[in-house]
C-alpha cells in the first residue's frame, strides 16, 4: 500500500477474517483436507505480518468454531495439533513482527495441552506492542454472548441496569474495539456465528479467493477498499440544517 493510498482514509483498527476455503483448495488439487489447513496456516502468517506492517492494531482470525467439532475426528485432531504446534514453534515470528497473541472462545472446552499452549503464547507475547492477533478457537458468537450473560447474572446485576456497554464488557475481549472490517474468503457471504455483537457496524468484504490463495496484495487492496467506504453508523454525515 502506497503512502498515497494510506492517506485516503483511516486504517481499520480491528479486522476480522473468516478464513474459508482450505478444504476446497485441497480438493481441487486432489489432496486431503488436512493439506489445505496446513497451507492455510502459511497464508495466515503472511496476512498477519502484512497487517503488522500496515499498522493495523487488531486482527481476529476465525480459527476453529464451536461447530467445527462436528467434523470428522481425524480432521479435528489434525487441526488441534496444527494449532498447538504453531503456537509452540512460532515465537520468533511473533517476536520479529512484534505480534501479541490473544484468544477468543471457550478455553475450557479445548484439550488441556492446547489450553496450555494458548496460555503460554499469550504470556510469552504480552509485552509486544504491534498487532494483536486474536485466535478465535472453540469460538461461537452465540456461545460468547451466553457466557457473557452468565457472568452478569453471577455478578448479581439488576436486570433493569444492564446496558450495551455492560454486555460488551462481559464478552471475551472487552479491551478490543468493535470490528471495523470483516473479510470472508472462499465465496460464501455469511457470518457463520462469528463476532455477531462486535460486527454491528462493520464493513464487509467477500471474496471468491480460497484462503490458501489469499495474498498480501489482495489483503492490502481490501484495506484500501475499506478506506474509501463512507461509514455513517446510522447517521447522515454532512447533513445541512
Amino acid at each position: 500500500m502506497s503512502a498515497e493510498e494510506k492517506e485516503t482514509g483511516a486504517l481499520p483498527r480491528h479486522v476480522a477474517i473468516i478464513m474459508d476455503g482450505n478444504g476446497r483448495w485441497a480438493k481441487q488439487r486432489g489432496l486431503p483436507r488436512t493439506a489445505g489447513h496446513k497451507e492455510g496456516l502459511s497464508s495466515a502468517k503472511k496476512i498477519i505480518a502484512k497487517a503488522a506492517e500496515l499498522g493495523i492494531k487488531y486482527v481476529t482470525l476465525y480459527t476453529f468454531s464451536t461447530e467445527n467439532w462436528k467434523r470428522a475426528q481425524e480432521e479435528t485432531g489434525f487441526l488441534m495439533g496444527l494449532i498447538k504446534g504453531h503456537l509452540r514453534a512460532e515465537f520468533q515470528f511473533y517476536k520479529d513482527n512484534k505480534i501479541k497473541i490473544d484468544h477468543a472462545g471457550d478455553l475450557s472446552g479445548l484439550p488441556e495441552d492446547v489450553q496450555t499452549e494458548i496460555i503460554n503464547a499469550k504470556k510469552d507475547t504480552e509485552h509486544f506492542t504491534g498487532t494483536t492477533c486474536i485466535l478465535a478457537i472453540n469460538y461461537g458468537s452465540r456461545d460468547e454472548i451466553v457466557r457473557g450473560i452468565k457472568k452478569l447474572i453471577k455478578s448479581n446485576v439488576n436486570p433493569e441496569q444492564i446496558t450495551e456497554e455492560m454486555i460488551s464488557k462481559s464478552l471475551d475481549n472487552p479491551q478490543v474495539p468493535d470490528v471495523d472490517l470483516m473479510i470472508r474468503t472462499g465465496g460464501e457471504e455469511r457470518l457463520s456465528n462469528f463476532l455477531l455483537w462486535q460486527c454491528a457496524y462493520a464493513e464487509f468484504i467477500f471474496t471468491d479467493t480460497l484462503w490458501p490463495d489469499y495474498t498480501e496484495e489482495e489483503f492490502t487492496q481490501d484495506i484500501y477498499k475499506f478506506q474509501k467506504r463512507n461509514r455513517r453508523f446510522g447517521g447522515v454525515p454532512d447533513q445541512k440544517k
Side-chain angles (χ1 to χ4, degrees):
M1 180 179 289
S2 67
E4 181 180 353
E5 288 174 334
K6 288 185 73 171
E7 292 174 0
T8 301
L11 284 169
R13 294 175 301 165
H14 184 184
V15 177
I17 305 177
I18 300 176
M19 306 177 291
D20 197 12
N22 291 342
R24 281 170 285 161
W25 182 91
K27 185 177 180 181
Q28 288 176 1
R29 291 158 178 78
L31 299 170
R33 289 177 60 85
T34 52
H37 294 310
K38 189 173 182 180
E39 191 67 24
L41 174 59
S42 297
S43 293
K45 288 179 62 178
K46 293 174 185 177
I47 298 307
I48 287 298
K50 175 55 70 171
E53 178 187 325
L54 294 174
I56 296 169
K57 190 62 179 173
Y58 300 96
V59 178
T60 300
L61 301 178
Y62 207 4
T63 307
F64 190 92
S65 76
T66 49
E67 290 74 33
N68 285 158
W69 294 109
K70 300 174 185 177
R71 297 184 180 183
Q73 186 174 355
E74 179 184 0
E75 184 176 357
T76 58
F78 177 84
L79 285 167
M80 288 297 107
L82 191 65
I83 291 167
K84 182 176 67 173
H86 168 73
L87 290 169
R88 182 181 303 169
E90 297 296 344
F91 177 76
Q92 192 60 47
F93 170 75
Y94 306 144
K95 183 178 180 181
D96 291 344
N97 293 280
K98 298 181 176 61
I99 292 168
K100 179 179 179 179
I101 296 296
D102 212 332
H103 172 255
D106 184 1
L107 188 66
S108 67
L110 290 167
E112 288 188 10
D113 54 351
V114 177
Q115 292 184 41
T116 298
E117 294 300 334
I118 291 172
I119 292 168
N120 288 342
K122 289 177 61 175
K123 183 178 179 180
D124 291 343
T125 63
E126 63 184 1
H127 58 288
F128 294 156
T129 57
T131 296
T132 295
C133 178
I134 303 163
L135 301 174
I137 304 173
N138 196 31
Y139 177 87
S141 189
R142 289 181 174 182
D143 174 73
E144 177 188 28
I145 293 169
V146 168
R147 288 187 286 107
I149 291 172
K150 288 179 178 178
K151 290 178 188 176
L152 290 175
I153 292 172
K154 289 180 180 178
S155 70
N156 295 317
V157 63
N158 184 335
E160 297 300 322
Q161 296 177 337
I162 292 176
T163 63
E164 289 185 13
E165 183 180 9
M166 291 172 68
I167 293 174
S168 293
K169 288 182 177 180
S170 75
L171 300 180
D172 289 345
N173 292 288
Q175 78 284 4
V176 177
D178 283 348
V179 176
D180 295 303
L181 172 62
M182 169 70 76
I183 298 170
R184 180 166 187 155
T185 64
E188 304 291 353
E189 298 184 2
R190 55 177 176 266
L191 278 174
S192 296
N193 197 21
F194 186 44
L195 299 174
L196 303 178
W197 181 274
Q198 297 88 339
C199 280
Y201 282 101
E203 298 293 317
F204 291 83
I205 291 178
F206 299 103
T207 173
D208 290 334
T209 305
L210 302 178
W211 177 246
D213 292 328
Y214 188 72
T215 63
E216 300 101 311
E217 290 76 20
E218 185 170 358
F219 177 68
T220 300
Q221 286 303 310
D222 286 343
I223 298 301
Y224 186 33
K225 290 175 186 175
F226 169 85
Q227 290 180 298
K228 295 192 291 183
R229 298 273 180 96
N230 181 13
R231 305 183 75 197
R232 297 187 295 273
F233 298 96
V236 181
D238 302 323
Q239 188 178 37
K240 295 182 179 179
K241 295 182 179 180

